[in-house]
């Protein structure tokens, strides 16, 4: 019999024990929201727990409640965009990422998540441009080059994509440094 272990902070829990802790945390977060429905920290905590439980619609709803309280919270648009993506709401994720970048323009160059959403929305040229911009942020990222390549293959074909493959520096992540075997 195999037992799945989950590392949560310094704790090592079996998957059922981890799920049980998350459910208990959800109950506590819900109590906090009920005690103060306008508490951004309580809503954010609950949204995070919902996301960990793969309850994306509820996480999105809590992020939306936060934004109804304060539309200037850039990071909430980012978080909601990530959850929208996980929920398969690609166009919505792009809208949230766009709003995040509008509020925090310096994040545009490094926003690889938006590039991936563009790919899944079949907005390949927008994805290509996003990944090209990211190259100026981090020219050592193998994944960035691969995502740009995939966008280009869809937009202009494999031959042109191969000819225009981004040059990658020294990606420090061990798996990215190893070639295919």
């Amino acid at each position: 019999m195999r037992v799945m272990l989950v590392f949560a902070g310094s704790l090592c829990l079996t998957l059922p024990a981890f799920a049980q802790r998350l459910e208990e945390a959800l109950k506590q977060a819900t109590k906090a929201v009920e005690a103060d429905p306008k508490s951004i920290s309580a809503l954010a905590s609950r949204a995070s727990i919902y996301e960990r439980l793969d309850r994306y619609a509820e996480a999105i709803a809590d992020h939306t409640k936060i934004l109804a309280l304060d539309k200037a919270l850039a990071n909430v648009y980012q978080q909601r965009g990530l959850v929208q993506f996980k929920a398969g709401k690609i166009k919505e994720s792009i809208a949230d990422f766009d709003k995040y970048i509008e509020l925090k323009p310096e994040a545009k160059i490094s926003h690889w998540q938006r590039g991936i959403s563009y790919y899944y929305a079949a907005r390949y040229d927008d994805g290509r441009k996003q990944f090209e911009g990211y190259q100026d942020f981090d020219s050592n990222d193998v994944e960035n080059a691969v995502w740009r390549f995939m966008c280009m293959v869809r937009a202009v074909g494999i031959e042109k994509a191969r000819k225009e493959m981004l040059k990658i520096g020294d990606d420090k992540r061990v798996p990215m440094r190893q070639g295919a075997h």
Side-chain angles (χ1 to χ4, degrees):
M1 180 170 131
R2 293 182 359 185
V3 175
M4 174 78 84
L5 298 178
V6 176
F7 295 92
S10 61
L11 299 173
C12 179
L13 305 169
T14 62
L15 195 52
F18 182 69
Q20 184 178 2
R21 290 237 176 148
L22 276 178
E23 290 294 341
E24 183 55 38
L26 179 59
K27 287 178 188 172
Q28 295 303 316
T30 298
K31 285 181 184 177
V33 170
E34 289 168 351
D36 184 0
K38 293 185 178 185
S39 169
I40 289 173
S41 63
L43 286 163
S45 292
R46 189 171 72 175
S48 176
I49 296 165
Y50 278 140
E51 181 182 358
R52 288 179 143 199
L53 290 168
D54 298 335
R55 292 171 62 178
Y56 302 132
E58 288 130 311
I60 291 166
D62 276 353
H63 287 305
T64 301
K65 289 174 186 173
I66 294 168
L67 292 169
L69 296 168
D70 187 346
K71 293 191 183 318
L73 295 173
N75 289 337
V76 178
Y77 287 101
Q78 171 68 11
Q79 254 336 101
R80 189 174 71 177
L82 294 170
V83 179
Q84 300 269 31
F85 181 85
K86 288 179 181 181
K89 296 182 172 198
I90 305 303
K91 289 179 183 175
E92 293 87 343
S93 75
I94 293 169
D96 280 339
F97 294 149
D98 286 347
K99 185 65 176 178
Y100 170 70
I101 290 167
E102 177 187 318
L103 294 170
K104 199 172 176 183
E106 67 276 11
K108 181 179 182 180
I109 192 171
S110 64
H111 207 289
W112 56 269
Q113 297 98 331
R114 185 169 74 158
I116 294 172
S117 288
Y118 281 150
Y119 177 84
Y120 284 105
R123 291 176 57 183
Y124 305 119
D125 196 51
D126 289 329
R128 174 191 60 79
K129 290 175 189 172
Q130 183 68 49
F131 294 119
E132 286 171 359
Y134 187 87
Q135 187 73 3
D136 293 334
F137 175 76
D138 181 0
S139 63
N140 297 317
D141 191 327
V142 170
E143 291 170 290
N144 183 65
V146 170
W147 278 106
R148 179 184 174 270
F149 176 78
M150 290 172 35
C151 287
M152 289 196 63
V153 166
R154 296 289 186 132
V156 298
I158 196 163
E159 290 308 317
K160 185 168 183 175
R162 279 185 181 143
K163 288 178 188 172
E164 296 181 19
M165 188 78 178
L166 292 175
K167 303 293 183 234
I168 303 303
D170 187 20
D171 194 322
K172 299 292 183 195
R173 300 169 293 171
V174 174
M176 300 302 158
R177 297 175 81 178
Q178 298 171 340
H181 300 286

